[in-house]
Amino acid sequence: MPYTAQGSSSPWIEEEFSRVRMVTGQETLGETGKVMLGLQFELKEGWKTYWRSPGDAGFPVSLDLAESNNLKSWQFYWPVPHRFMLFGLQTFGYSKEVVFPFEIQAEDPQKDVTLRGTASYLLCKEICIPFDADVTIRIPAGEAFPSLEAGIVDTYVNRVPGLGAEVGFDITDSFLVGNGENLVLKVYGSAKDQGFQKPDVIVEGPPGFSFSAPEVIIDDGGAKAEFIIPVSIAKEAKGVLEGKQITLSLVDGAKGTELKTVSKYKDVPIGTSSGILAFLPILGLALVGGFILNLMPCVLPVLSLKLMSVIKHEKSDYQGIRSSFVATSFGILTSFWILAAAASLLKVAGFSVGWGIQFQQPLFLIAMSGIVSLFAANLFGWFEFLVPGGVINRAVNASDKKGISGDFLKGMFATLLATPCSAPFLGTAVGFALARGTWEIFAIFTFLGIGMSLPYLIVAAKPRLASFLPKPGTWMIWLKSVLGLLLLGTVAWLLSVLFVQVGWVATTLVTVLLALGMAILAVKSLTIGKRAVAISLLAILSLAVPYKFSVSSEKASVSAYWLPFAQEQIATEVNNGKIVFVDVTADWCITCQVNKKLVLEQDEIESLLQKEDVLPMQADWTLPNETITAYLESYNRYGIPFNIIYGPGAPEGIVLSELLTIDEVLSVFEQASGK
């Protein structure tokens, strides 16, 4: 039975060229059960081990604590590494001594924690030797106080970027220059106090891209530094570094700072004439993409609300028509501004953002189901009263209320219902916006809103166009019922997406609560106040359902020939002469479902996807998935559908249009095959 140390360290596990042990910063667990420890290495002269990104050779140090007792969670940290050059290869790691801090959380702070771990590492000099070291330590429960090894643990905690003490320097800017074999990445840093001494920048990028040692230019007495880093692109890489995520580690001695960013060329200032000219085509794409959004199949419920807003006016009431259409346009624009503000704030906070990702959130789906149900009930004529100042009633009476508030809210809800769609040009415009700053995001989203508002703005400018619409009559009663049924179809679709996220129990409960709410609205003997109170209580219960009854639903595969998405396999399969078709989709993406029905599930395409030399991969983005999000961002895309075909003739991949056609898919398949 292995010896279990209790105290500040475990016994040294010694090899010929190294030794390793665990050390702890606390003798006991303390009240919270959270303790910072370290995996300590001492290496003989000339030998080194590796960082999380080892470089051209080697593999990183790893620690497995799966056999530990009373361990709830733990986090492993990487101190700043150093660059080594050997036989023309560059690697990143550590020599002489290094301590890897890791923080543990006890399952029960009132009980002892026994850590049993296996440290796997590679030692290199002229030769490389892999080792496994079994390390064990027990940390008893009790009031926290520092251990004898707290000093060395703290020393290396302060060498972890973002975790330890202030380093006194920052990365201020980075951008690409040139292209092809002359591509370089420029990084700029600023330092305080003592300034830079011997700084270095280590770049972690996507597979297929390598970054040489930088040329370093120190200026302003060490307060500023410029790093010029040549970039090499492997043949199997996707070919374009712009828009892909990179991690920059600025290191100077034992200090370091990190920055995760998206590689891009230096923006031309918008205020200059050249900047404005370069920005105009993107604004044009946003305008066209927003307009086409009106024609997408997912906007059918929105079209019903548009129609009702038109036929409610007297043909001679041109001023009323103009005010109504301007209000709806402003509602659409306001929704796009809200989306732009949310995207900007999430980017500043470091979160991934995308078009339509709110449909990955159960609470949003439940709220939208309730709102659309209220619209349907209103079209059925189950309630038409308006309580002064009532926000909910203003929203749900938007179809019949005469006044700008109802039309404004109709425009806002129309935009939210349209976000699962990706129209042609929309993906390009949104992708450009979300890869840039706040100003660009707001400018592009504004033009998207103007584009979607164009039909309204045209009628507002020429109210006489309304005279071409049918005259009001009894047919409107039947039409309202039909449109109400269409909205209930939208509710059914929203609930089907919710089912994938929270399971059948929670979805059934939400459905029952929605049906009960519709029934209460239909009982006209109840006062509007009683119905409002009942609907409010049902809404609260519906929003609480996922917290108690949510269970992820197991999704059945679309077809036997679709394989799960595995980005790391794409280059290998292409090198073996195969064609890889990647379909990034989601249950909430109506444009994706249209592509499936009209193209991907057609016999001609299905037979093509089932050939032996074709690998169809499906990436399901119905639920949040960081891997898929990063994959989309690597192509500067922030929404779906996204389809791409790789092959011997197109190892970097060929991106297809948002709306697929059979001819396009066949043509790109032939191009990717290289035959």
Side-chain angles (χ1 to χ4, degrees), residues 142-324:
E143 184 178 351
F145 61 91
S147 73
L148 296 175
E149 305 295 344
I152 191 169
V153 173
D154 290 342
T155 295
Y156 279 88
V157 166
N158 288 333
R159 297 184 184 185
V160 175
L163 185 65
E166 293 294 327
V167 296
F169 52 79
D170 292 297
I171 298 171
T172 58
D173 196 9
S174 67
F175 54 85
L176 297 169
V177 177
N179 52 59
E181 296 181 357
N182 299 316
L183 182 64
V184 300
L185 174 65
K186 289 191 175 183
V187 179
Y188 294 85
S190 65
K192 304 174 185 177
D193 302 329
Q194 297 180 353
F196 288 113
Q197 304 299 316
K198 293 182 179 180
D200 188 11
V201 169
I202 300 172
V203 184
E204 298 170 87
F209 296 88
S210 57
F211 304 85
S212 302
E215 175 189 350
V216 183
I217 302 173
I218 298 178
D219 197 7
D220 198 11
K224 297 180 180 179
E226 177 184 5
F227 304 86
I228 304 172
I229 306 168
V231 182
S232 300
I233 306 174
K235 291 182 179 180
E236 65 271 14
K238 297 180 179 65
V240 179
L241 181 60
E242 184 185 18
K244 295 181 172 63
Q245 182 170 294
I246 56 176
T247 300
L248 306 175
S249 297
L250 174 54
V251 176
D252 195 358
K255 298 179 179 180
T257 186
E258 286 182 6
L259 175 66
K260 289 186 177 181
T261 185
V262 174
S263 56
K264 60 180 180 179
Y265 287 91
K266 190 172 183 62
D267 292 334
V268 179
I270 300 299
T272 65
S273 59
S274 58
I276 293 174
L277 290 175
F279 199 49
L280 284 178
I282 299 297
L283 295 179
L285 289 176
L287 190 70
V288 176
F291 175 76
I292 296 178
L293 200 58
N294 288 282
L295 309 177
M296 300 300 292
C298 55
V299 194
L300 185 59
V302 183
L303 292 177
S304 69
L305 300 178
K306 291 180 182 179
L307 183 58
M308 297 309 300
S309 71
V310 175
I311 62 179
K312 71 180 181 180
H313 288 283
E314 296 291 339
K315 297 299 175 62
S316 59
D317 183 17
Y318 294 140
Q319 184 58 41
I321 292 173
R322 178 178 285 115
S323 299
S324 171

Side-chain angles (χ1 to χ4, degrees), residues 412-558:
M412 292 192 68
F413 289 130
T415 305
L416 290 176
L417 287 174
T419 51
C421 295
S422 181
F425 309 114
L426 179 70
T428 302
V430 172
F432 182 91
L434 296 182
R436 267 97 179 149
T438 300
W439 193 96
E440 291 93 335
I441 290 175
F442 270 90
I444 289 172
F445 273 62
T446 297
F447 272 75
L448 285 169
I450 293 173
M452 188 172 175
S453 302
L454 276 178
Y456 293 97
L457 294 174
I458 291 172
V459 175
K462 296 290 183 181
R464 292 182 179 274
L465 292 173
S467 63
F468 294 99
L469 295 170
K471 294 181 179 181
T474 56
W475 63 272
M476 292 175 58
I477 299 175
W478 293 98
L479 179 60
K480 289 176 70 173
S481 298
V482 171
L483 297 178
L485 291 174
L486 289 175
L487 289 178
L488 289 182
T490 302
V491 174
W493 164 68
L494 290 168
L495 293 174
S496 71
V497 179
L498 181 68
F499 166 73
V500 177
Q501 300 185 13
V502 300
W504 71 270
V505 174
T507 305
T508 301
L509 288 174
V510 171
T511 304
V512 170
L513 291 171
L514 286 174
L516 184 58
M518 296 282 284
I520 290 173
L521 290 174
V523 180
K524 293 188 176 182
S525 60
L526 293 174
T527 65
I528 188 66
K530 290 181 179 179
R531 283 189 281 176
V533 171
I535 293 300
S536 299
L537 291 175
L538 291 174
I540 294 172
L541 289 174
S542 297
L543 294 173
V545 164
Y547 294 101
K548 182 66 176 177
F549 300 99
S550 178
V551 177
S552 296
S553 175
E554 293 292 330
K555 288 190 63 179
S557 177
V558 177

